[in-house]
Amino acid sequence: MPSTVLVGAQWGDEGKGKITDLIASDYDYVVRFQGGNNAGHTVIHGDKKLALHLMPSGVMYEDAVPVIGNGVVVDPGVLVKEMAMLESEGVSCKNLRISGDAHVIMPYHKDLDGADEKRLGSQQIGTTKRGIGPCYQDKMGRKGIRIQDLMDEKIFRLKLETVLAQKNPVLERIYGLHTYTVEEICDEYLPYAQILRKHVAETGQLLNDALREGSSILFEGAQGTLLDIDHGTYPYVTSSSCCAGGASTGTGVGPKAIDRVLGIQKAYITRVGGGPFPTELKFPEEGGVGQDASDGELLCEAGHEFGVTTGRKRRCGWFDAVIARYAADVNGLTDVALTKLDVLSAFDTIKVCVAYECEGRRYDYFPMQQSVLFHAKPIYEELPGWKDIDITDCRAYEELPEATRSYIEYLEEITGVPMSIISVGPDREQTIMRGW
Ligand code: IMP
């Protein structure tokens, strides 16, 4: 298997978990390169569903080495708990490798995430409140604490002292929150260091050596293209590089080592949190009316669109080809996995947004100006559906109804990327391989 980057091509929640789970066993290393426990997906283990937030899904395969790369932010308490949960289910974590350069989410990061959201009021980003943003802020501000610092008590205490001298006044005077002592944090965090120590490694060197020896790597992206700090709908984004380029900076593996870039796209689109969303079908409680509101409710219900990490109802809309083309460009997609196609069996006809319109101008490309995106009206093509035909048992492309194949081929044509994997249900077997 050549080395592959798997990325979300929309706003996250595209079904990366299922596709990762499907292909991960073909790779020798499965590597997380960005984000933290703001991600969440379920993997099937025997007859149980396990929720992973931080652990690379390679942990589920005995022969794969799961790696947490330098670009990830690690909440050590969450990681230790996740490892204990997996071990109790009979999944060994012994192969896990964690980069010493990954940054550590500290208690004050979580406090500040929540407090900052409150401060933003109606302009809230709708973060997962896991401390992701404040941790990346400290990384970029060069006052972060890394896994290697946590492993060295003397350095950890020293860095904490410096950072708390700055954090405590902010916590107390700006947000009216409680402050921390070095001792308090050490009591909680140093025991984590004992558990994680044997997993800490020079992961950049490990992966480059592995490539030299002919091993393959799956770079497992979290969140999605439009949540990328650079290429997403800023400021309504997460604080990391979720696009394919992040796989290099977040692991220390050069871009030439990447052979394929697989973008995961739902057959419609969803987003959680705030920010612009041109094809959104607003729910009645958000002011949506008529057909749009009922289509939105139907997508949410038929697609079970509730967050794994937060349980929040996801905002739903029709497939947006403007976004799909943009995702193809910024990630250099070689392939797409189209997921949740079965959900569209609930509709008479299916809309696809082919371009936007804003103040009399047509936009075929993703607009640079945020104000355009906020006011963009989708220009739709309406395609015949395959209402009430159950496609969840189809295992070969030819078994799909003609209207379904036409829908897929139409999407391929207007987005320019082959759809090599088609998912028609939540289970592993409910997948059609078309050249992957
Ligand atoms: P943060 O990553 O917690 O800082 O949240 C920033 C934005 O990214 C919010 O809109 C979140 O809802 C969104 N977000 C973060 N992680 C995910 C994810 O795994 N799926 C979908 N949205 C996410």
Side-chain angles (χ1 to χ4, degrees):
M1 248 302 150
S3 291
T4 301
V5 183
L6 181 150
V7 288
Q10 299 168 335
W11 272 293
D13 308 315
E14 300 91 349
K16 292 182 294 291
K18 171 182 163 171
I19 306 299
T20 309
D21 196 32
L22 192 72
I23 65 173
S25 60
D26 295 335
Y27 297 84
D28 302 307
Y29 291 78
V30 181
V31 189
R32 280 281 308 264
F33 57 88
Q34 47 71 228
N37 58 312
N38 47 348
H41 69 246
T42 22
V43 289
I44 312 285
H45 178 62
D47 53 2
K48 279 204 178 142
K49 279 186 174 173
L50 308 180
L52 299 182
H53 295 283
L54 191 52
M55 186 68 79
S57 42
V59 73
M60 305 306 293
Y61 307 97
E62 237 171 74
D63 297 334
V65 180
V67 178
I68 294 180
N70 58 274
V72 175
V73 286
V74 177
D75 185 327
V78 170
L79 183 57
V80 163
K81 253 200 214 129
E82 207 160 287
M83 288 164 71
M85 178 277 288
L86 286 164
E87 297 277 358
S88 74
E89 295 293 343
V91 180
S92 167
C93 298
K94 72 175 190 323
N95 287 342
L96 174 70
R97 297 290 174 269
I98 309 166
S99 167
D101 290 336
H103 280 246
V104 180
I105 298 179
M106 304 297 290
Y108 46 81
H109 290 142
K110 292 181 259 189
D111 297 342
L112 290 169
D113 199 352
D116 213 36
E117 280 284 274
K118 223 188 229 170
R119 182 185 66 84
L120 283 169
S122 63
Q123 286 166 41
Q124 272 192 12
I125 291 164
T127 74
T128 59
K129 302 199 175 78
R130 304 291 197 269
I132 307 295
C135 184
Y136 278 114
Q137 276 171 38
D138 279 358
K139 171 178 175 171
M140 292 308 183
R142 295 167 294 187
K143 48 182 179 287
I145 294 181
R146 292 175 297 171
I147 289 286
Q148 58 177 288
D149 305 323
L150 177 61
M151 295 303 136
D152 184 325
E153 183 174 342
K154 206 166 141 207
I155 291 184
F156 187 61
R157 285 179 180 275
L158 207 69
K159 291 210 165 184
L160 260 182
E161 228 162 81
T162 314
V163 87
L164 286 181
Q166 188 249 348
K167 294 292 173 196
N168 278 340
V170 174
L171 286 166
E172 191 172 24
R173 291 190 214 143
I174 297 186
Y175 295 105
L177 295 171
H178 66 90
T179 56
Y180 290 93
T181 62
V182 170
E183 225 41 62
E184 222 178 321
I185 295 185
C186 283
D187 284 350
E188 186 190 347
Y189 275 54
L190 291 177
Y192 299 142
Q194 293 317 316
I195 299 170
L196 299 178
R197 186 176 305 282
K198 60 177 180 292
H199 298 282
V200 178
E202 298 270 5
T203 53
Q205 186 185 351
L206 175 80
L207 294 172
N208 282 297
D209 283 346
L211 285 168
R212 268 187 284 276
E213 286 158 14
S215 298
S216 60
I217 302 177
L218 175 64
F219 298 91
E220 180 185 359
Q223 289 84 48
T225 300
L226 292 184
L227 290 173
D228 183 283
I229 186 76
D230 284 280
H231 304 292
T233 46
Y234 190 91
Y236 299 96
V237 292
T238 190
S239 297
S240 65
S241 299
C242 331
C243 286
S248 274
T249 50
T251 63
V253 169
K256 272 166 62 186
I258 294 160
D259 304 284
R260 281 176 107 166
V261 184
L262 175 63
I264 317 301
Q265 275 168 1
K266 257 194 277 224
Y268 49 98
I269 194 164
T270 61
R271 117 167 262 185
V272 288
F277 182 174
T279 65
E280 179 171 18
L281 300 163
K282 279 206 168 110
F283 299 127
E285 64 268 29
E286 306 292 338
V289 287
Q291 188 64 44
D292 278 4
S294 53
D295 284 348
E297 296 253 86
L298 191 53
L299 276 176
C300 182
E301 199 184 301
H304 309 292
E305 294 298 349
F306 298 90
V308 177
T309 300
T310 59
R312 284 182 287 182
K313 200 170 169 180
R314 297 177 183 140
R315 300 156 70 192
C316 296
W318 294 114
F319 187 92
D320 186 329
V322 182
I323 288 173
R325 287 193 289 267
Y326 178 67
D329 277 358
V330 294
N331 293 296
L333 297 185
T334 59
D335 301 80
V336 160
L338 188 70
T339 61
K340 293 193 134 178
L341 187 57
D342 53 302
V343 172
L344 296 185
S345 298
F347 294 89
D348 284 315
T349 57
I350 298 162
K351 288 184 185 164
V352 174
C353 167
V354 294
Y356 305 143
E357 192 271 331
C358 183
E359 292 182 349
R361 193 177 146 193
R362 182 184 165 109
Y363 292 83
D364 289 283
Y365 202 78
F366 199 65
M368 184 197 66
Q369 280 263 321
Q370 203 196 354
S371 54
V372 173
L373 196 63
F374 261 112
H375 297 109
K377 296 268 170 290
I379 300 172
Y380 285 121
E381 275 294 321
E382 195 157 352
L383 277 70
W386 52 93
K387 192 171 164 108
D388 295 337
I389 303 183
D390 181 4
I391 61 167
T392 56
D393 290 328
C394 296
R395 298 290 176 270
Y397 189 64
E398 298 67 37
E399 290 172 21
L400 290 170
E402 196 184 333
T404 319
R405 282 183 275 133
S406 301
Y407 179 70
I408 295 167
E409 286 159 31
Y410 179 71
L411 296 189
E412 286 184 318
E413 188 189 315
I414 56 169
T415 62
V417 188
M419 298 191 153
S420 319
I421 302 177
I422 311 285
S423 170
V424 292
D427 294 339
R428 240 159 190 277
E429 310 75 54
Q430 294 177 306
T431 312
I432 298 170
M433 291 298 193
R434 264 178 101 217
W436 182 261

